[in-house]
Amino acid sequence: MRVLKISVLAALLVMAASVAFAGPTYDRVMADKVVRAGVSNQGIPFGFINDKNEWVGFDVDMATEIAKRLGAKLEMVVVNNNTRISFVQTDPPKVDMVLSNMTHKRERDKKIDFSITYFFDGQKFLALKGAVKDVKDLANMRVGSMQGTTSIINATEYLKKLGNPDPKVTGYDGEVAMFEALRSGRVQAITTDSTILLGYAAKEPGKYELVGDFISDEPYGIGLPQDDSAWRDTINFTIQDMWADGTYMTIYNKWFGPDSDYPFPMTEKIEMWP
C-alpha cells in the first residue's frame, strides 16, 4: 500500500509540474493544432503580396516552417506597425506569434514577450541615386519614416548629430506610403530597417541607393503573448532546431542570399543553447 501511495504521489507531482510549465497559448495550439501568425503584407521582403497575388516573404516562410514543425496548421493574420503588439496583448490574443520585422526593444518587452533574435538588421537611409554626396547632406533634407516605429526616434537623434538642431521626420502609415512619399518627391530620403529599404528599392532597380552606415542595431524577435514560458520555449527551440539543421539558412538565402533580389549578408549567428 505504501508503494502505491508513493506512486500516486509521484504521478500527481508530474501532473502538477506539467500544469506549471504549460500556458494558455501553448495548450491551445497543441490542442487545436492551429497556430495564428501576425505577418505584414507590405513589408518587402519579409511579408508582402507578390505579382501573382501570393502572400510571400521571409517571415511567411519562417512562420510556415514553425507551424509545420509543431504539426499545426498555419493561419496568417495581417498586422502593421500599429497592431503587431496589440494583437498579442488582447485576452485572448488575436495571434499566437508575430513575425513582422519587429525590433526587440526593452520598452516593447514590458508589453509582450519575445523570442530569441531570429534576424539581424540595422537602420539606414534611402535616397535617389546621387542625391546624397555626403551623409551630412541628410541634415537639411526632408526625411520620411513610418508611424509606430523606433525609426523616427533614431533618425531624429541622428540628424541632430549631423547638425540639424530641430529635425522634422514625417511619419507615414506603413511601408507603401513611406516609399510613395519618396517617389513623389514629398521627402528626399526615407529611413527604416535596411532590408525593408532594399525591398522597395528593388521595385525600381538602379534608381535609389542606401546611404551611409547603420545608425542603429535592429535585432528582430518574434512577438509572443506575455508570461507563457512553455510557448516561448517552444518557439525558441524551433528556431534553434531550424538553425542547427540548415533550414534557417535555406530560407535566409532564398530571400537575402547573393543571388536573391535582396542580397544582404548574414552578420550574426542565432543564439544556441546546449
Side-chain angles (χ1 to χ4, degrees):
M1 179 65 74
R2 182 175 175 79
V3 173
L4 178 60
K5 287 181 178 179
I6 292 175
S7 298
V8 170
L9 178 60
L12 289 172
L13 288 172
V14 170
M15 290 173 62
S18 298
V19 171
F21 281 106
T25 306
Y26 177 87
D27 287 345
R28 189 200 58 73
V29 172
M30 292 300 105
D32 298 346
K33 293 300 179 183
V34 174
V35 58
R36 299 163 301 182
V39 183
S40 171
N41 65 356
Q42 295 186 6
I44 302 171
F46 289 91
F48 64 103
I49 307 301
N50 67 12
D51 294 338
K52 298 178 181 178
N53 203 34
E54 300 166 326
W55 198 352
V56 298
F58 176 82
D59 280 341
V60 173
D61 287 354
M62 287 290 293
T64 300
E65 183 66 22
I66 290 171
K68 174 185 172 183
R69 291 181 181 232
L70 298 181
K73 175 185 175 183
L74 175 66
E75 290 185 358
M76 292 200 299
V77 178
V78 177
V79 296
N80 57 39
N81 295 326
N82 296 316
T83 62
R84 59 188 179 181
I85 290 179
S86 63
F87 275 24
V88 288
Q89 285 183 305
T90 56
D91 187 16
K94 293 182 180 180
V95 296
D96 306 308
M97 59 182 186
V98 170
L99 296 89
S100 184
N101 49 282
M102 181 160 58
T103 303
H104 186 177
K105 300 279 189 179
R106 288 191 179 189
E107 193 61 34
R108 288 173 177 162
D109 204 273
K110 296 176 183 178
K111 303 174 183 177
I112 62 174
D113 277 344
F114 282 85
S115 71
I116 58 174
T117 300
Y118 76 103
F119 193 90
F120 305 88
D121 202 353
Q123 183 175 343
K124 282 195 174 187
F125 289 80
L126 183 75
L128 283 170
K129 195 167 186 177
V132 179
K133 306 300 183 184
D134 186 290
V135 290
K136 293 181 180 179
D137 296 342
L138 291 168
N140 299 310
M141 286 185 166
R142 299 185 305 276
V143 176
S145 190
M146 288 187 291
Q147 298 171 1
T149 69
T150 55
S151 296
I152 292 179
I153 299 172
N154 295 339
T156 301
E157 292 304 312
Y158 182 71
L159 294 175
K160 285 181 180 179
K161 291 178 181 179
L162 292 182
N164 187 337
D166 188 27
K168 297 291 190 298
V169 181
T170 303
Y172 293 93
D173 186 16
E175 294 88 342
V176 172
M178 176 185 66
F179 184 63
E180 185 55 37
L182 177 63
R183 291 181 64 186
S184 65
R186 283 176 284 151
V187 296
Q188 297 164 288
I190 56 176
T191 180
T192 188
D193 301 350
S194 63
T195 47
I196 296 293
L197 298 176
L198 281 173
Y200 277 87
K203 296 169 74 71
E204 299 181 57
K207 187 174 180 179
Y208 303 96
E209 63 181 351
L210 291 176
V211 178
D213 297 323
F214 290 118
I215 68 170
S216 71
D217 292 323
E218 305 295 334
Y220 293 175
I222 297 177
L224 304 167
Q226 191 82 292
D227 299 328
D228 193 337
S229 62
W231 181 235
R232 186 174 64 249
D233 283 347
T234 297
I235 297 302
N236 284 337
F237 296 160
T238 303
I239 295 170
Q240 291 173 336
D241 290 346
M242 290 169 61
W243 177 269
D245 66 21
T247 303
Y248 177 92
M249 285 308 301
T250 297
I251 296 174
Y252 187 93
N253 286 326
K254 172 184 174 181
W255 293 102
F256 301 105
D259 298 325
S260 71
D261 291 334
Y262 320 100
F264 187 74
M266 187 77 181
T267 56
E268 302 283 349
K269 293 182 178 179
I270 298 297
E271 178 185 349
M272 296 295 286
W273 304 333

